[in-house]
Amino acid sequence: MSGHGTPIPMTSRTGGALAGVAEVPGDKSISHRALILGAMAVGETTITGLLEGEDVLDTAKAMRAFGAEVTRDDDGTWHVHGVGVGGFAEPDQVIDCGNSGTGVRLIMGAMATCPITATFTGDASLNKRPMARVTDPLALFGAQAIGRSGGRLPMTIVGAADPVPVTYAVPVPSAQVKSAVLLAGLNAPGQTVVIEKEATRDHTERMLAGFGATVTTEETNEGRVITLTGQPELTPQAIAVPRDPSSAAFPVCAALIVPGSDVLVPGIGLNPTRAGLFTTLREMGADLTYENEREEGGEPVADLRARYSPEMKGILVPAHRAASMIDEYPILCAVAANATGKTMMEGVKELRVKESDRIAAMADGLRACGVTVADGDDWMEVTGMGPGKVPGGATCASHLDHRIAMSFLVLGMSTLAPVSVDDGSPIATSFPIFEPLMTALGAKVERT
Ligand code: S3P
């Protein structure tokens, strides 16, 4: 089993205002997909702006194991020589996806309709997470999965030698499940149809179309119906990965809760399936503006400007918004603790099966910092203490979860006493430059 090596305890504390420009790294979701789709195209895909975090590097390694040639130039440009749809070779080693649910679930989908067998594992966090949500639909294509109890990794997938196309209504709001089915559908003859009740991030659909697949999306009474025509020849692409809104969330939220701050976070994708946090923050009264709004690669993009916002009020964050900000609830909790009044988050059950149980992890750490939190299976409520009034002074457990670690470190930039996390090493999975970037803005965050 892989791990993150030696734990890195970290501490943050209040300091001066945060100011400057925060250039966050490439989008994690798009980076995984660029490598996987590049590996399934015929010829050379080039990728600039790829997130070079551990999760994505594990996917790059996996694509090599399935036969694609993946190289990096000194200037950070990546090249993927793909093997074509259905062309994956059988890996001769176990595929270790580290901490990444996206990596393992998308790759399982991509190989499930190839006549090969592969075994997957991950770190202690990933090996606890549910995989049946992907292996159930992959079985409909004719693939078999043999894993540990509860449908957990390590797990072996025997790909379907003679795949059939599938129509599948995704039972949980999950872009990973949707994407696994679509990637499997690439090597099935005929049309594969995925129906999702709630819209989740649509990067796979957009990128499949960009690579030349025939994919349509229709809004119906049952939800979004996505139809993919199987066995296309994917054409290699030149992909410029936009900056990650989920990483932008950290400097943006830090600026909102640290007195006097004014931070610009340029070039952030505002795809509506990803931008729920920013809508929520503006509803709370955040001084968060979109500057220089434009389109890049078919996606809406803007420079985000966040200024200290002591007037923020707690609100009800509706369940229908959950999918568009599913990774941002931990950092929203840090903002909510600094707002006035209660912030109620509904329809957030999926948080229980992320890199950690994020409801439990945030509730425990916030309570240790002196914040009142109520929670149930599918909801969470944080009672705001007003700007700069959170006591802090605790060490919070990050549970091998990058977003939990970063959320408590941002909270500590606003609290009366410093906040520590027991292990900041998972931050490298998605935001390897978090510490220098926040420090350059003026934040007091250090390894302890
Ligand atoms: C992702 C989908 C989401 C999200 C994850 C990235 C993706 O997971 O939490 O960080 O790239 O498809 P779910 O599909 O489990 O909701």
Side-chain angles (χ1 to χ4, degrees):
M1 198 194 313
S2 70
H4 297 279
T6 317
I8 303 176
M10 294 177 74
T11 299
S12 65
R13 65 193 76 241
T14 50
L18 307 184
V21 178
E23 298 198 329
V24 303
D27 190 277
K28 181 155 70 72
S29 293
I30 294 174
S31 294
H32 282 295
R33 287 160 174 79
L35 290 167
I36 295 169
L37 288 172
M40 298 174 89
V42 178
E44 183 186 319
T45 287
T46 57
I47 311 169
T48 52
L50 188 85
L51 167 64
E52 295 180 343
E54 288 170 1
D55 279 10
V56 174
L57 297 177
D58 284 332
T59 288
K61 236 186 273 167
M63 289 303 98
R64 287 190 193 110
F66 282 102
E69 194 185 312
V70 183
T71 57
R72 179 190 188 276
D73 294 342
D74 290 344
D75 69 357
T77 303
W78 287 71
H79 303 268
V80 182
H81 288 265
V83 293
V85 167
F88 275 175
E90 185 166 273
D92 56 11
Q93 297 289 336
V94 172
I95 303 296
D96 188 342
C97 289
N99 192 246
S100 181
T102 307
V104 75
R105 291 183 176 130
L106 268 56
I107 296 167
M108 280 179 175
M111 61 73 58
T113 47
C114 297
I116 56 172
T117 295
T119 300
F120 297 87
T121 192
D123 70 3
S125 157
L126 187 57
N127 286 3
K128 281 190 211 149
R129 298 180 66 185
M131 294 298 144
R133 53 176 57 200
V134 236
T135 55
D136 286 351
L138 296 183
L140 303 176
F141 287 96
Q144 283 173 273
I146 303 134
R148 283 195 307 139
S149 59
R152 288 171 304 151
L153 302 179
M155 179 175 277
T156 296
I157 307 283
V158 182
D162 205 3
V164 291
V166 156
T167 293
Y168 191 68
V170 184
V172 287
S174 167
Q176 292 175 2
V177 176
K178 169 177 67 178
S179 302
V181 176
L182 290 172
L183 292 173
L186 277 176
N187 198 36
Q191 294 195 320
T192 286
V193 180
V194 184
I195 303 153
E196 56 174 6
K197 280 199 216 75
E198 294 160 64
T200 63
R201 65 192 68 193
D202 59 0
H203 306 302
T204 302
E205 299 90 298
R206 286 174 187 250
M207 293 176 74
L208 276 169
F211 273 87
T214 302
V215 57
T216 59
T217 301
E218 205 189 332
E219 306 287 346
T220 71
N221 290 339
E222 283 93 82
R224 279 191 173 188
V225 178
I226 302 143
T227 305
L228 170 75
T229 303
Q231 299 184 326
E233 182 166 307
L234 299 182
T235 316
Q237 298 298 300
I239 299 173
V241 180
R243 299 182 197 277
D244 198 328
S246 298
S247 295
F250 295 100
V252 162
C253 289
L256 299 179
I257 61 175
V258 174
S261 297
D262 185 349
V263 169
L264 187 75
V265 190
I268 300 303
L270 290 178
N271 178 321
T273 63
R274 295 290 298 280
L277 172 74
F278 305 128
T279 305
T280 299
L281 293 171
R282 281 154 62 123
E283 277 181 20
M284 293 172 79
D287 186 350
L288 171 63
T289 52
Y290 301 161
E291 300 187 352
N292 192 15
E293 287 185 65
R294 57 203 186 265
E295 256 204 22
E296 277 175 20
E299 299 262 358
V301 168
D303 304 337
L304 305 184
R305 183 159 188 188
R307 299 181 180 90
Y308 179 52
S309 301
E311 309 290 328
M312 285 186 291
K313 304 258 184 303
I315 61 164
L316 167 67
V317 187
H320 68 78
R321 195 179 293 158
S324 69
M325 54 178 290
I326 195 64
D327 292 335
E328 281 66 74
Y329 284 94
I331 188 61
L332 175 63
C333 287
V335 174
N338 276 281
T340 304
K342 291 179 175 176
T343 294
M344 175 67 165
M345 298 162 251
E346 291 182 343
V348 293
K349 192 158 57 196
E350 277 295 301
L351 295 181
R352 298 227 177 253
V353 290
K354 294 295 176 188
E355 286 82 331
S356 67
D357 175 342
R358 287 182 172 162
I359 296 180
M362 287 312 296
D364 288 350
L366 285 170
R367 287 180 188 127
C369 289
V371 181
T372 300
V373 182
D375 66 290
D377 181 44
D378 197 23
W379 60 275
M380 181 173 189
E381 184 185 68
V382 175
T383 301
M385 305 187 81
K389 300 262 170 49
V390 176
T395 298
C396 305
S398 60
H399 299 282
L400 285 181
D401 188 330
H402 51 134
R403 300 201 200 281
I404 299 298
M406 289 186 279
S407 298
F408 282 119
L409 291 171
V410 167
L411 179 67
M413 296 169 195
S414 71
T415 47
L416 296 169
V419 171
S420 299
V421 294
D422 63 342
D423 183 13
S425 67
I427 293 171
T429 62
S430 71
F431 198 165
I433 59 166
F434 172 79
E435 199 183 336
L437 180 144
M438 295 306 300
T439 303
L441 295 176
K444 301 277 173 285
V445 53
E446 63 196 10
R447 297 174 183 227
T448 38

